[in-house]
Amino acid sequence: MKQFFHEFKQFIARGNVMDLAVGVIIGGAFSAITTSLINDIIMPLLGIFTGSISFAALSFEINGAVIAYGNFLQAALNFLVMAFVVFCLVKGINRLHRKKEEAPPPPPQPSAEEQLLTEIRDLLKERGNG
């Protein structure tokens, strides 16, 4: 049992698990912000153009079953906005990584022997032409 808890502690202490936990927490908070953006700003603006103030009220009834397609439209729009923001974040992060990789390495400094051989070569060229 002690070995089990030791392995569990090592698993939790790994960087990937901690990164995932932080991502889930931030994702939950970001989801609340996105939902508020959709419900409190975008949907009322769309409601102005469609003549309906709240998409959540859009529904129809078939044999007593209420089909609330307005809620579905809000959830779909919420998903699209969140997916677009995540896409932009990933694209920006990838661009930063690419710039770091594309930076050319500094030219290698010639060793003392290479410098000496280059000077000898240049001197021999000068004497051969003279």
Side-chain angles (χ1 to χ4, degrees):
M1 190 69 154
K2 189 175 183 179
Q3 178 66 24
F4 175 79
F5 284 116
H6 178 70
E7 289 176 6
F8 180 71
K9 182 180 171 185
Q10 285 181 331
F11 172 76
I12 292 298
R14 287 186 188 158
N16 293 343
V17 174
M18 297 305 284
D19 293 342
L20 179 62
V22 169
V24 168
I25 292 168
I26 290 175
F30 183 72
S31 175
I33 291 170
T34 305
T35 301
S36 176
L37 172 70
I38 298 300
N39 294 340
D40 301 330
I41 297 173
I42 294 177
M43 286 310 213
L45 290 174
L46 288 176
I48 292 170
F49 297 111
T50 61
S52 174
I53 299 301
S54 173
F55 274 39
L58 297 176
S59 64
F60 61 89
E61 190 174 328
I62 301 176
N63 293 334
V66 177
I67 310 296
Y69 67 93
N71 287 334
F72 173 76
L73 290 175
Q74 282 186 291
L77 189 57
N78 191 7
F79 169 77
L80 290 174
V81 168
M82 194 173 299
F84 178 73
V85 170
V86 169
F87 170 76
C88 291
L89 288 173
V90 169
K91 191 169 174 88
I93 290 170
N94 286 342
R95 186 179 299 143
L96 288 175
H97 286 294
R98 231 180 290 128
K99 284 184 181 177
K100 288 179 184 176
E101 292 172 2
E102 289 177 2
Q109 295 296 326
S111 65
E113 292 89 13
E114 289 173 331
Q115 283 181 330
L116 183 60
L117 288 171
T118 302
E119 289 175 15
I120 292 171
R121 181 198 66 204
D122 292 343
L123 285 171
L124 286 173
K125 280 184 183 178
E126 287 177 13
R127 289 188 181 186
N129 290 334

